[in-house]
Amino acid sequence: MKPLRILTALAVMGVVALNATDTLAKPEPRFKLLPFGAIRPAGWIKAQMDQDARAGILAYFHRCWMVQNKAYELRGHNPAKKDKQSEFWDGAAEGYWGLSLISNAILADDPALKKRADEFVAGILKSQDPDGYIGIHDAQKRYTPGMIDRVGHIGFMLQGLLDYAQAYGRKDVLDAVERAVQCDMKHFNRSTPDLHAAGFMVMSYLQFLSELAQVTGKKEYSDYATFLIGSYNTSGELDNPIYSDCKLPHLLDAKRPFFSHACNTTGTLSLPWIAYYATGDPQFKVAGENAFAKFDRQMSVSGSLPGDEDNQGRDPSPEIGIEFCSTSYLVENALIVGEKTGGTRYFDDVERAVFNAGMGARLPDGTAHAYLKRDSEFSLDGPGVFHREQYSPAHEPFCCTLRMMSMMPTYVSRMFMKTVDGKSLAAVGFGPATVETEMSGTKVHVEEKTMYPFDRKIEFHMHPDKPVEFDFLVRVPEWSPSVQVQCEGATITRDGEYYVVKKQLSAGDVVNVTFETPVEAIRWVNNEYVLKSGPLVFAADLGTIPTKYDKFPSGHTTQEMSDGKLPIYGFAPKDPDKWTHCGLDGLSKEPAFGFKCTPVQTANPDQPWAKPPVVLQGQFNRMRGKTKVDLVPMGCTVLRRVTFPVGYVQSTKKKGTMVDDKTSE
């Protein structure tokens, strides 16, 4: 890499004036977001979000001691503070909580949660200073020389307020958000070279600024995001062990793997793309492509980035822990890149992460989750188990707990997007949902009926107020070799990675989509095989025997948090020997070792993660015979195995049978 090119790119990113980019043609994003609240959950997603709001940790987290510290309102001066964490973590927890509370309150049907969100927003607005400042610091501590985290995760707080403003048409809330950003722009800009954007600030604030620019139509906010990206890239040590992976020089080095704190890496994957679409400099596109090429090489079986907590350049072994934070940040940043580029692989990444890493690290009822979760997990019980690996209603620090709460609202809110010209509506993420929007001046309601990802069929029911013509786009996932799209009377064509349905749509029209979802056998880095169908990875379920605990590491209790209703769990396997000495049939001539995807009748389709409606059925070689097995979606499991060796059972004249558990081509 030539040094001159790197320096030029760094100048473009805002360290020097942006004049050099004035002559560059800026690319136009493929999509734009719909206002938060326009897309709403349905089916199993709605049932899960309602359950989380009613009886999961979401229903109790307002009682958390760090939220009760009220860092934003009291500016770190709370004489009743109940923990020893710094004000940074108080502010981070409250910022995370702001987004989780508000986004869920908008999308879930729970009056108590909505009331808490209304009161929370009112309290934050009341805390805003006359100059617009929203945050946790007294005047003398703000914008002081050095690395500025800007309250760590202020971006999540402001994103929550922005969601609230859009969902309820609250111009006063939007005005408060803009005043807060204008205050930052006044005190932290190109004329303050002694201030630098730190690694946690760029995991939420810049992404929020990109959306604020879109919502308001004000380019100054995307320009400010670009300036902050430049500040981040040229401040601090290049090889800082926590947050250096997505600094520009490292991304331009295509061979350098990810080493840093995994959530800091996934939380900054969108930065080069934000800069590319703001400036037009092609080096940012190269950096952005390199970022996801690196992710592809180090992606876990479940679709996230391993790191317990740092990645350290390791291959993605299924026995390395994954932070829930890393998964949620990946979802947010991949959605941003998908919105800008239109690339379907980014939406594929989102779904794999949500339905495998995300669902596979929480209990279906939302009462507990793991902070660190291995893809293959054999036991979580006994004195040697790290507390962050147990299933707890709230882990300390609370980042992963709160990131778990906000993941599904984020996913739902981006399932549909419009093309930038507003003429087309695109289904980019799949699952049961509804969307309300306007197309060509006509109100349109679309109902997406499906059990996806457990079913390969989707129906989009169209309900415009009156007949209206617009293009309806359907994403073609990379994992589906063939997609059938049907709509009576429509012209249907393939345009790159999307099918385009052209028709004057009327109430009652239905777009039917059927994906081909073959079972894939993917050889993994441990020389074993992963079995996958569509976006779902399948696992051998070891079963669980739970042990309950009642104390958090800090000494706080589950009684304090939830009146003891939500315990901390350790888990032992029900049958630890069930999957030992097992292997895939190396002599099978069938694809994917003969495993077939089979639907299963369930009593409650609204709880598919508690009892899966689909399994992979096949045979394993075990000892000197064969045994029939059902593998289940890994998101339905706690203790599991997700990679399998190849075993051989062969007839011989001398011995009769033999077993070879070594993996083979």
Side-chain angles (χ1 to χ4, degrees):
M1 186 58 60
K2 295 180 180 180
L4 179 59
R5 295 188 65 190
I6 294 177
L7 289 174
T8 301
L10 294 176
V12 170
M13 296 189 79
V15 178
V16 187
L18 290 173
N19 294 338
T21 67
D22 289 347
T23 58
L24 292 176
K26 297 177 179 60
E28 185 173 69
R30 178 71 184 272
F31 296 123
K32 62 181 179 180
L33 301 177
L34 298 177
F36 195 92
I39 308 165
R40 306 191 71 83
W44 72 259
I45 299 180
K46 182 180 185 301
Q48 176 178 291
M49 292 184 67
D50 288 349
Q51 161 67 23
D52 286 355
R54 182 176 62 254
I57 184 56
L58 183 62
Y60 294 95
F61 200 81
H62 61 286
R63 295 170 55 169
C64 167
W65 40 98
M66 291 188 76
V67 170
Q68 289 296 318
N69 287 336
K70 296 187 179 297
Y72 278 77
E73 293 183 50
L74 301 178
R75 300 284 159 80
H77 301 294
N78 184 357
K81 183 174 167 64
K82 296 181 179 180
D83 59 76
K84 297 180 180 179
Q85 296 283 0
S86 69
E87 62 184 17
F88 168 88
W89 280 112
D90 285 346
E94 199 170 356
Y96 283 132
W97 173 236
L99 176 60
S100 298
L101 170 63
I102 293 168
S103 60
N104 278 280
I106 293 168
L107 299 182
D109 288 331
D110 189 84
L113 198 69
K114 171 65 165 56
K115 183 173 183 292
R116 282 187 215 115
D118 291 342
E119 292 171 349
F120 183 88
V121 170
I124 296 300
L125 295 186
K126 186 177 179 181
S127 75
Q128 187 169 30
D129 284 356
D131 66 354
Y133 178 81
I134 292 177
I136 68 171
H137 294 307
D138 290 331
Q140 63 270 23
K141 285 188 177 181
R142 301 172 198 166
Y143 312 111
T144 53
M147 304 291 283
I148 302 284
D149 258 319
R150 188 55 181 86
V151 200
H153 296 292
I154 181 66
F156 290 123
M157 177 67 79
L158 295 178
Q159 182 66 57
L161 295 176
L162 182 60
D163 292 346
Y164 190 91
Q166 294 179 83
Y168 300 121
R170 288 283 298 273
K171 186 177 182 303
D172 61 322
V173 178
L174 179 59
D175 289 345
V177 169
E178 288 199 73
R179 288 176 56 226
V181 175
Q182 292 289 342
C183 181
D184 288 345
M185 294 171 68
K186 177 180 178 181
H187 295 285
F188 182 12
N189 51 55
R190 291 181 180 84
S191 64
T192 56
D194 58 343
L195 303 180
H196 306 285
F200 287 94
M201 178 184 187
V202 296
M203 296 164 68
S204 63
Y205 192 52
L206 280 62
Q207 295 82 345
F208 149 75
L209 286 172
S210 181
E211 183 171 342
L212 182 64
Q214 193 176 132
V215 169
T216 62
K218 297 178 181 179
K219 183 176 176 292
E220 61 189 290
Y221 298 133
S222 59
D223 287 345
Y224 191 51
T226 306
F227 156 70
L228 292 172
I229 293 172
S231 175
Y232 158 70
N233 270 288
T234 57
S235 63
E237 298 175 2
L238 183 60
D239 291 313
N240 183 292
I242 297 178
Y243 56 74
S244 65
D245 276 342
C246 289
K247 285 180 177 284
L248 184 65
H250 285 331
L251 289 182
L252 291 176
D253 181 356
K255 294 182 179 180
R256 180 189 183 275
F258 290 144
F259 284 95
S260 300
H261 187 200
C263 69
N264 283 79
T265 300
T266 59
T268 49
L269 287 172
S270 65
L271 299 191
W273 290 104
I274 291 173
Y276 173 58
Y277 279 87
T279 67
D281 189 299
Q283 287 196 87
F284 298 129
K285 182 180 180 182
V286 172
E289 290 170 344
N290 286 350
F292 278 87
K294 295 180 186 192
F295 171 72
D296 286 344
R297 294 195 295 268
Q298 294 177 261
M299 180 184 66
S300 69
V301 171
S302 59
S304 191
L305 183 66
D308 48 5
E309 294 196 356
D310 298 347
N311 181 273
Q312 300 175 356
R314 290 174 287 180
D315 287 334
S317 164
E319 296 185 41
I320 300 175
I322 300 168
E323 283 190 71
F324 213 118
C325 279
S326 301
T327 302
S328 290
Y329 280 115
L330 169 65
V331 169
E332 289 163 348
N333 281 262
L335 284 169
I336 290 171
V337 181
E339 169 222 325
K340 294 189 180 303
T341 67
T344 60
R345 61 97 6 121
Y346 303 107
F347 301 120
D348 290 351
D349 287 344
V350 168
E351 290 186 348
R352 184 165 178 172
V354 169
F355 299 139
N356 297 287
M359 296 308 303
R362 55 164 279 165
L363 296 184
D365 62 7
T367 59
H369 73 98
Y371 183 113
L372 288 171
K373 182 66 180 177
R374 298 179 182 90
D375 284 341
S376 285
E377 192 83 78
F378 300 103
S379 181
L380 287 172
D381 202 23
V385 175
F386 184 32
H387 65 84
R388 290 184 179 179
E389 297 170 353
Q390 293 176 323
Y391 276 61
S392 175
H395 288 274
E396 298 173 297
F398 297 108
C399 46
C400 284
T401 297
L402 293 160
R403 301 272 57 216
M404 182 269 288
M405 295 180 197
S406 63
M407 184 183 71
M408 193 58 77
T410 298
Y411 177 69
V412 169
S413 69
R414 269 77 171 158
M415 290 173 67
F416 294 87
M417 297 181 185
K418 282 187 179 180
T419 51
V420 167
D421 61 11
K423 296 180 179 179
S424 304
L425 180 66
V428 298
F430 302 127
T434 64
V435 59
E436 300 262 4
T437 189
E438 281 196 5
M439 303 300 298
S440 301
T442 298
K443 288 184 179 180
V444 175
H445 174 88
V446 181
E447 184 179 6
E448 183 176 357
K449 294 184 177 182
T450 182
M451 273 299 292
Y452 188 93
F454 305 97
D455 190 359
R456 62 196 184 101
K457 295 181 179 180
I458 302 175
E459 297 177 357
F460 295 97
H461 292 252
M462 303 293 175
H463 304 283
D465 280 0
K466 61 182 180 181
V468 59
E469 187 168 348
F470 64 92
D471 289 352
F472 185 69
L473 278 57
V474 178
R475 165 181 139 245
V476 178
E478 288 185 350
W479 45 257
S480 185
S482 124
V483 181
Q484 294 181 0
V485 181
Q486 298 173 319
C487 180
E488 186 176 352
T491 300
I492 301 173
T493 58
R494 176 80 179 257
D495 180 13
E497 299 175 310
Y498 295 85
Y499 274 99
V500 182
V501 179
K502 292 179 176 287
K503 185 188 178 183
Q504 186 180 63
L505 292 162
S506 302
D509 280 334
V510 180
V511 177
N512 292 287
V513 179
T514 304
F515 299 108
E516 183 182 354
T517 54
V519 180
E520 303 173 71
I522 305 167
R523 187 162 184 162
W524 210 251
V525 297
N526 59 356
N527 288 326
E528 297 183 346
Y529 282 82
V530 173
L531 295 178
K532 178 178 174 288
S533 179
L536 294 177
V537 173
F538 285 79
D541 188 357
L542 307 185
T544 57
I545 301 173
T547 301
K548 296 181 180 180
Y549 304 92
D550 63 1
K551 281 193 176 181
F552 299 99
S554 62
H556 293 279
T557 66
T558 58
Q559 183 69 28
E560 181 181 351
M561 175 71 84
S562 64
D563 298 326
K565 294 177 182 177
L566 309 184
I568 301 166
Y569 288 104
F571 293 103
K574 278 187 177 179
D575 187 355
D577 298 323
K578 181 178 180 181
W579 301 100
T580 58
H581 309 296
C582 284
L584 298 162
D585 184 1
L587 298 180
S588 174
K589 303 297 183 184
E590 297 183 69
F593 302 97
F595 275 81
K596 310 291 185 187
C597 206
T598 306
V600 177
Q601 194 70 31
T602 60
N604 190 347
D606 282 344
Q607 296 181 4
W609 302 102
K611 187 170 179 57
V614 65
V615 298
L616 288 189
Q617 292 185 331
Q619 292 188 119
F620 275 171
N621 290 335
R622 190 165 194 268
M623 302 302 288
R624 292 178 173 81
K626 295 182 182 294
T627 182
K628 292 182 179 180
V629 296
D630 287 352
L631 304 180
V632 302
M634 69 176 293
C636 301
T637 64
V638 173
L639 302 180
R640 60 191 177 230
R641 181 172 185 164
V642 297
T643 65
F644 308 99
V646 170
Y648 295 88
V649 178
Q650 297 176 326
S651 297
T652 67
K653 292 182 179 180
K654 293 182 179 180
K655 299 291 184 180
T657 59
M658 63 176 288
V659 178
D660 178 6
D661 283 331
K662 294 181 180 179
T663 301
S664 169
E665 296 286 0

